[in-house]
Amino acid sequence: MPLKAELHCHIEGAAAPELVVRQAQKYGKDTSPYIQDGSFVWHDFTSFLAAYDFSSDLFRTEEDYARLADHYLTSLARDGAIYSEIFTSPDHAGKAGLSAKAYTDALGEGMARAKAKTGIEGRMIVTGVRNAGVESIEQAARFAARCGHPLVTGFGVAGDERMGDLEDYVRAFEIAREAGLGITVHAGELMGWESVKAALDHIRPARIGHGVRAIENPDLVRRIADEGVVLECCPSSNVALKVFDSFADHPFPALQAAGCKVTLNSDDPPYFWTSLKREYDIAAEHFSMNDKALAAVTRTAVEAAFVDRKTKAMLLGRLDVKGR
Ligand code: ADE
Ligand code: ZN
């Protein structure tokens, strides 16, 4: 089994349905519109976000969040992951009644618990949510820039790509960049190649969340390869959301063949009936990747990680030992 690393997982979206049901019982909420027969229920991106927002609202205390991060990173480590970057959302925590600082500290505590048990390294990428508006995104950027939490190393924008223009978020990204944070932005998931080009032109990210619809424009694919921008690919998420009809239609192999740096990620695993392990299994089965090719994807992820040089060298060393 190749070692794994993940760069793109929304921590609220990693909560398993059983855990969400337990949280709902604790807070006296009815999950039946969003969870049926032990599975999340949604039929398009809008209803996915509704289920996601409903579940996120059931994580309200520091211990709720610490347990969520501990649970997710521990399960990831058991599947062979040595590194995990989670997307955090102060906007969701605020709606559930927790300050950005208390939320971030709690997730950090959960990550520390998972690391103590399994050795998995973790970092946090604070995200702003497009559908929450520009002011909320800038507030998230200001928090990320100032919070000083040692595990907060990046800033990103997620949420509904169909809302707002990437140009609107330039200020937020500048705040984050000036603070030395790594930059990633969701684009080219729901919207076409133009959104990926706009991300490169206006935001200049090191990585793009998804970015897969760049495949619609060969010049843009060449630019991504030339500029070394890393794509955080989430095949199951794309197929579940009908961005592509099947894994056979997914552009992961074509993007890689064109020289783009591609990584494998689970996005919101139980919503898309997946896990990081399943993404690697899908790549083996549908993209004809052997263990050596999968190990190279893990290496790309670690090289692109928003992590200090010493930790990165340690992680690469672990890959070298395993690869020998
Ligand atoms: N927030 C949580 N999951 C997301 C996704 N797949 N795309 C955009 N925003 C999200
Ligand atoms: Zn995402």
Side-chain angles (χ1 to χ4, degrees), residues 75-144:
S75 70
L76 212 53
R78 300 220 161 104
D79 280 346
I82 59 169
Y83 183 73
S84 155
E85 273 174 26
I86 57 170
F87 288 134
T88 72
S89 173
D91 184 72
H92 282 91
K95 285 192 182 121
L98 211 55
S99 74
K101 183 179 182 326
Y103 164 73
T104 304
D105 287 348
L107 290 172
E109 164 63 23
M111 295 169 88
R113 288 181 200 166
K115 182 175 171 177
K117 279 182 283 187
T118 67
I120 189 166
E121 277 290 342
R123 295 294 184 273
M124 288 181 260
I125 300 175
V126 176
T127 61
V129 179
R130 275 175 95 136
N131 29 312
V134 176
E135 179 44 44
S136 161
I137 290 174
E138 288 183 8
Q139 202 179 327
R142 285 193 295 272
F143 170 74

Side-chain angles (χ1 to χ4, degrees), residues 8-10 87 158-159 186 189 209-210 232 234 237 267-268 272:
H8 187 129
C9 178
H10 303 260
F87 288 134
H186 281 57
E189 177 194 25
H210 301 285
E232 302 159 2
C234 312
S237 165
D267 208 4
D268 304 283
F272 304 133

